[in-house]
Amino acid sequence: ARMPHFDAATQRKFELLGQVGEALSLFVREQVKQEQPPLEEIAPYDFYHELIDSLIDGTMRQTKKVASLRNDVEKQQRDVKKLIENVGEVHTDLKAHQDKLEAKTKAHKRKRQELEEERERAAAAAAAATQTR
């Protein structure tokens, strides 16, 4: 299992959670030193526990969303790459087809020219034959 990569905002949330935990710990130690009512009497431990749990859950949900979005983007990038490759192949095929058509057109023009010259020679020969009679 690879470690998830967190963006800067998510990393900052984890850092803030750590600071909240340190502050709570420091606060509890101060309460004990001063023999004041324990933290549970000021605000029940469950409240802080639930708060921290919900912060962690929210952060994990955001992390999963980010990972999902990253996967979607990577898939779209792969799809675009495939489309570009397909367009390149179609372009190559069209170019080859165009080259074939141009070659056929040139051959056709050459053949037409030859036939035209042959017809002119035949007409000239026929004219020469009628003139010699």
Side-chain angles (χ1 to χ4, degrees), residues 115-129:
L115 288 173
E116 192 65 37
E117 290 170 3
E118 185 68 31
R119 197 176 348 212
E120 287 173 7
R121 281 195 296 274

Side-chain angles (χ1 to χ4, degrees), residues 58-73:
T59 303
M60 295 312 274
R61 273 195 304 278
Q62 291 298 320
T63 303
K64 286 178 184 172
K65 282 183 190 173
V66 167
S68 173
L69 288 172
R70 185 180 294 126
N71 289 340
D72 291 349
V73 166

Side-chain angles (χ1 to χ4, degrees), residues 121-133:
R121 281 195 296 274
T130 54
Q131 283 179 356
T132 55
R133 284 187 194 166

Side-chain angles (χ1 to χ4, degrees), residues 1 78 97 102 107-108 118 123 133:
R78 285 192 303 272
H97 188 65
E102 286 174 0
H108 184 70
E118 185 68 31
R133 284 187 194 166

Side-chain angles (χ1 to χ4, degrees), residues 77-121:
Q77 287 173 334
R78 285 192 303 272
D79 291 349
V80 166
K81 203 176 204 178
K82 283 180 190 170
L83 285 172
I84 290 171
E85 288 171 5
N86 290 344
V87 166
E89 289 172 11
V90 167
H91 181 266
T92 303
D93 292 349
L94 285 174
K95 182 72 174 119
H97 188 65
Q98 181 182 8
D99 292 346
K100 281 183 191 173
L101 286 177
E102 286 174 0
K104 282 183 180 180
T105 302
K106 284 180 184 175
H108 184 70
K109 283 182 181 176
R110 209 177 312 110
K111 187 71 173 170
R112 181 187 288 164
Q113 183 72 30
E114 290 170 5
L115 288 173
E116 192 65 37
E117 290 170 3
E118 185 68 31
R119 197 176 348 212
E120 287 173 7
R121 281 195 296 274

